[in-house]
Amino acid sequence: MTDGKALEAQLKKRISERLREADRIEDKDLYRLIDDELYELSGRDYISLNLKMHLREALFNSFRRLDLLQELLDDKDVTEIMINGPDDIFVERRGRIERLERSFESRERLEDIIQQIVSRINRVVNTSNPIADAMLRQDGSRVHIVLPPIALNGPIVTIRKFPEHISMQRLIKTGSITKEAAEFLGMLVRAGYNIFISGGTASGKSTFLNALCEFIPEDERIITIEDTAELQITNVKNIVRLETRSKNSEGEGEISMSMLIKAALRMRPDRIIVGEVRGAEAADMLTAQNTGHDGALSTGHANSTEDMISRFESMVLMGLDIPIEAIRSRIASAIDIFVHLSRLPDGSRRVMEISEMRGYEEGRIRIKRLYGFDMEKKRLIRLSELKRTEKLRLRGAGAEAGLPPI
């Protein structure tokens, strides 16, 4: 017998029966029980060493961890997991999406795993509340869940794996940004410029934001605000990390981005970092930046810098009932620099442009592109000099300020 799936099902049934007869056992005892069953089975049928090792881990994951999902989480080459019901599983490996030939044993088993995930962080997802965001406690990976009846083809789970910290040095080596542009942005971070990072889905916004945080002076007090905590800021000791909270099953207890931004203003921050701006909280963020809180960093979803500005206007309108001219003026006053990222067809993630806010004139926001991506040379090139604003001079943020080595 060499059918791995059939063997796994057979062994799982036998082990389940033995576990029902025993008291709660430790992990080492479960491994011993699995090994005993494998030894007994291999005495009757030939099982290769590779299959034995696979079955050993698969069975342990099934009883103690997240079953098939655990194997994908442990695979360092997998960056995203897309489960479209129990039988359709897709993963992203090295920028390419592929379909797995494996599946969960049943829809009920997938639903059990979903409940394991959300219960560990005190979230609720059910038919009455079928959409939820969560995170994996073991590594912080982002999880988005949609259940029937909203999802027509079964429980849907999308997992963006929590990346290892990727430094600016590594982004330079992989060609995501040039050394010159990285040093330029580092200078602006130190100077306290308000920088907004935009990009499409999976373009590397959070990764780039995390890398930019390396340039924050270590003696500053930082408040981070995220839907799901992902930032890994290690160079600053005085840091407060805040995370939103969804409503409970009674529709109460929600802690929104807007609430956290307002709370952060009372914590004496030197900088406020908002992981991703998606809605009405954009108005609160602009208010904070226009009232003396410089050095803000944040991200947003858009297809270009111009598209990000347009989306910003729409998001602010969700939180403020004021004329569009006033909103544009606030945006122009609050944000100094836009950085736009894209994911190219080959799967690489690149900084496509760096633009400076030039102000609000004649009914429109004006920006000037400082760096742009050359598609032929496949690299970011410098287009113009930065406008020497008063802020830059007063902060002393030139090359003489002593940038960290890259």
Side-chain angles (χ1 to χ4, degrees):
M1 181 185 292
T2 58
D3 184 347
K5 192 170 183 179
L7 278 176
E8 185 177 338
Q10 178 183 342
L11 288 165
K12 188 179 293 185
K13 182 179 179 181
R14 288 178 58 85
I15 293 169
S16 295
E17 291 172 353
R18 292 183 62 177
L19 288 175
R20 280 196 293 269
E21 299 170 358
D23 293 329
R24 180 177 175 81
I25 65 173
E26 301 294 329
D27 288 352
K28 62 180 181 180
D29 297 318
L30 176 58
Y31 268 124
R32 189 177 298 116
L33 179 57
I34 293 170
D35 291 338
D36 290 344
E37 290 294 334
L38 282 170
Y39 179 77
E40 182 178 336
L41 189 63
S42 61
R44 301 193 303 269
D45 298 287
Y46 170 73
I47 305 175
S48 68
L49 180 59
N50 285 340
L51 181 55
K52 280 184 183 179
M53 296 303 294
H54 167 76
L55 288 171
R56 187 175 192 262
E57 289 306 311
L59 289 165
F60 183 82
N61 289 339
S62 176
F63 289 105
R64 279 289 193 269
R65 301 171 81 188
L66 297 175
D67 209 333
L68 168 59
L69 187 57
Q70 190 64 53
E71 185 179 326
L72 301 176
L73 291 169
D74 292 340
D75 188 338
K76 295 186 182 300
D77 291 332
V78 173
T79 54
E80 192 140 4
I81 303 166
M82 293 151 275
I83 301 170
N84 307 334
D87 299 318
D88 289 316
I89 304 173
F90 295 82
V91 297
E92 181 186 61
R93 278 194 178 95
R94 303 183 187 90
R96 302 289 182 182
I97 294 177
E98 60 186 67
R99 188 180 191 277
L100 290 186
E101 295 302 321
R102 302 179 63 191
S103 62
F104 291 92
E105 63 183 61
S106 66
R107 173 170 163 167
E108 289 72 23
R109 180 55 179 155
L110 175 55
E111 290 173 342
D112 287 344
I113 292 170
I114 290 172
Q115 293 304 323
Q116 282 186 53
I117 292 172
V118 297
S119 64
R120 291 173 183 174
I121 58 168
N122 297 318
R123 296 283 173 97
V124 175
V125 62
N126 50 42
T127 53
S128 300
N129 184 35
I131 301 176
D133 288 302
M135 65 178 287
L136 298 178
R137 292 187 62 181
Q138 65 186 72
D139 66 356
S141 293
R142 282 187 289 180
V143 183
H144 184 69
I145 298 163
V146 184
L147 296 183
I150 303 301
L152 301 182
N153 49 343
I156 307 300
V157 183
T158 308
I159 300 176
R160 176 77 56 82
K161 289 178 67 174
F162 191 71
E164 60 178 311
H165 175 68
I166 298 178
S167 66
M168 189 61 75
Q169 169 83 34
R170 183 169 166 186
L171 291 178
I172 293 170
K173 286 184 178 180
T174 57
S176 295
I177 189 172
T178 62
K179 183 174 185 291
E180 178 196 7
E183 289 179 343
F184 171 72
L185 288 176
M187 175 182 71
L188 300 185
V189 171
R190 284 179 167 270
Y193 272 58
N194 294 326
I195 300 176
F196 199 92
I197 302 164
S198 63
T201 301
S203 59
K205 298 185 293 296
S206 297
T207 297
F208 194 80
L209 173 61
N210 212 82
L212 270 188
C213 290
E214 295 173 13
F215 297 107
I216 297 174
E218 62 181 21
D219 60 347
E220 293 190 356
R221 175 171 170 81
I222 311 300
I223 313 293
T224 67
I225 300 170
E226 301 175 84
D227 272 331
T228 302
E230 292 183 304
L231 291 172
Q232 304 171 66
I233 303 174
T234 57
N235 57 305
V236 177
K237 303 303 180 187
N238 192 352
I239 183 169
V240 176
R241 304 174 71 215
L242 304 177
E243 185 179 63
T244 62
R245 186 176 70 192
S246 301
K247 297 176 183 177
N248 59 22
S249 56
E250 287 77 37
E252 300 173 345
E254 179 183 19
I255 303 295
S256 66
M257 279 273 195
S258 292
M259 295 168 68
L260 291 179
I261 291 173
K262 291 171 183 175
L265 294 176
R266 303 184 185 101
M267 298 182 187
R268 199 269 177 210
D270 289 311
R271 294 175 191 256
I272 297 175
I273 301 174
V274 181
E276 183 172 0
V277 179
R278 295 175 180 163
E281 67 272 7
D284 298 289
M285 192 180 78
L286 290 183
T287 298
Q289 292 173 7
N290 277 313
T291 53
H293 293 86
D294 291 333
L297 300 169
S298 188
T299 75
H301 192 285
N303 297 319
S304 67
T305 300
E306 291 78 5
D307 181 42
M308 189 66 248
I309 293 173
S310 178
R311 292 199 70 240
F312 226 116
E313 294 172 4
S314 300
M315 289 188 292
V316 175
L317 278 170
M318 297 178 188
L320 291 176
D321 185 15
I322 61 176
I324 189 66
E325 291 79 9
I327 290 175
R328 289 172 179 166
S329 178
R330 288 193 182 199
I331 294 171
S333 299
I335 301 175
D336 300 311
I337 295 290
F338 284 97
V339 180
H340 185 72
L341 288 74
S342 286
R343 180 181 175 184
L344 300 183
D346 62 2
S348 63
R349 296 164 173 85
R350 304 293 183 95
V351 174
M352 302 303 288
E353 58 185 72
I354 301 173
S355 302
E356 179 196 11
M357 178 67 75
R358 304 293 282 192
Y360 177 63
E361 298 175 3
E362 300 177 355
R364 46 184 296 239
I365 292 174
R366 299 182 181 276
I367 61 171
K368 182 176 182 180
R369 191 160 290 120
L370 307 175
Y371 287 81
F373 190 78
D374 188 318
M375 294 301 292
E376 292 185 4
K377 296 180 180 179
K378 297 293 183 185
R379 68 188 302 270
L380 197 65
I381 59 172
R382 189 173 188 173
L383 302 177
S384 61
E385 292 287 334
L386 175 72
K387 176 184 174 185
R388 296 294 170 179
T389 62
E390 189 68 14
K391 181 189 293 186
L392 184 61
R393 276 197 305 109
L394 292 178
R395 295 284 184 114
E400 69 276 10
L403 297 173
I406 291 182

